[in-house]
């Protein structure tokens, strides 16, 4: 994914981090050359990127305008601050970027019954989090694929309203547990 980073900093914080496009390229390096954007890539070819200056898929360079980045694909993806992590009660997860995506949902699991998660959001992007949603994980499932070997897990997956806007999100459990918190954005 490509991100736009604002040149503005205020009070020791960088403002305005937002995704601009999604891609499936491996880009180990980039630079600007004579006003053009040059991406080092192992898959820059005419077929995958429309670059007529590349002869073969392993040719290594993509040359275009910076504005072309917005044409690579709508920002979308998944990931999150917790993956089978042990987290103490009332300890917030690391913040996770939320801005720049149209549709959003979160998948939460815990290895303990009746865990309540508080989902907190930072609307301004300044580190001030406010409670958005409180969610109790009650539905028991059995993990039969690669997780905790058939142990009981408790799961929920709330969806945020279409067009919901916040810069950052984090989750806070009310009791110690091993948890997964993964966000899916489209």
């Amino acid at each position: 994914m490509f991100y736009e980073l604002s040149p503005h900093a205020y009070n020791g914080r960088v403002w305005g981090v937002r995704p601009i496009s999604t891609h499936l390229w491996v880009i180990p390096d980039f630079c600007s050359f004579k006003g053009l954007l040059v991406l080092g890539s192992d898959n820059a070819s005419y077929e995958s990127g429309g670059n007529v200056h590349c002869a073969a898929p392993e040719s290594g360079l993509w040359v275009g305008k910076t504005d072309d980045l917005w044409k690579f694909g709508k920002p979308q993806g998944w990931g999150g601050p917790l993956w089978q992590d042990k987290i103490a009660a009332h300890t917030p997860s690391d913040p996770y970027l939320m801005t720049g995506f149209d549709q959003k949902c979160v998948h939460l699991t815990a290895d303990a019954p009746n865990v309540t998660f508080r989902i907190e959001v930072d609307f301004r992007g300044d580190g001030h989090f406010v409670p958005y949603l409180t969610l109790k994980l009650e539905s028991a499932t059995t993990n039969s694929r690669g997780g905790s070997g058939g142990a009981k897990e408790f799961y929920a997956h709330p969806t945020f309203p279409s067009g919901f806007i916040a810069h950052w999100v984090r989750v806070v459990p009310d009791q110690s547990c091993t948890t997964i918190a993964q966000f899916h954005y489209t």
Side-chain angles (χ1 to χ4, degrees):
M1 192 173 303
F2 287 109
Y3 296 89
E4 182 176 42
L5 184 61
S6 172
H8 303 291
Y10 177 74
N11 199 20
R13 290 189 168 89
V14 176
W15 293 72
V17 177
R18 62 183 167 255
I20 59 172
S21 63
T22 299
H23 64 89
L24 294 176
W25 293 3
V26 176
I27 301 173
D29 204 359
F30 65 93
C31 70
S32 178
F33 178 73
K34 294 188 177 187
L36 296 172
L37 176 63
V38 181
L39 303 177
S41 180
D42 68 353
N43 55 353
S45 69
Y46 180 76
E47 290 80 15
S48 68
N51 189 343
V52 297
H53 301 291
C54 294
E58 305 296 315
S59 59
L61 294 177
W62 179 92
V63 180
K65 300 176 295 200
T66 302
D67 289 346
D68 291 338
L69 296 178
W70 276 260
K71 300 175 186 174
F72 280 10
K74 180 182 168 186
Q76 58 185 343
W78 66 92
L82 300 168
W83 183 261
Q84 296 181 342
D85 290 310
K86 293 180 182 180
I87 188 166
H90 309 290
T91 301
S93 70
D94 288 335
Y96 194 74
L97 187 65
M98 184 176 239
T99 192
F101 303 95
D102 297 333
Q103 305 293 324
K104 305 166 190 76
C105 75
V106 60
H107 294 266
L108 294 167
T109 67
D111 65 348
N114 302 317
V115 176
T116 298
F117 282 92
R118 188 174 65 246
I119 298 176
E120 299 178 343
V121 294
D122 174 1
F123 289 109
R124 298 182 306 219
D126 63 357
H128 177 73
F129 285 86
V130 296
Y132 172 72
L133 175 68
T134 301
L135 186 66
K136 188 172 189 175
L137 275 59
E138 297 175 335
S139 303
T141 60
T142 302
N143 185 355
S144 60
R145 290 183 281 148
S148 52
K152 292 283 186 183
E153 287 186 336
F154 301 87
Y155 175 74
H157 59 91
T159 301
F160 295 85
S162 181
F164 180 82
I165 297 173
H167 285 276
W168 300 97
V169 63
R170 67 184 185 187
V171 297
V172 184
D174 71 339
Q175 56 183 291
S176 297
C177 61
T178 299
T179 187
I180 295 173
Q182 294 289 294
F183 292 85
H184 289 246
Y185 300 147
T186 60

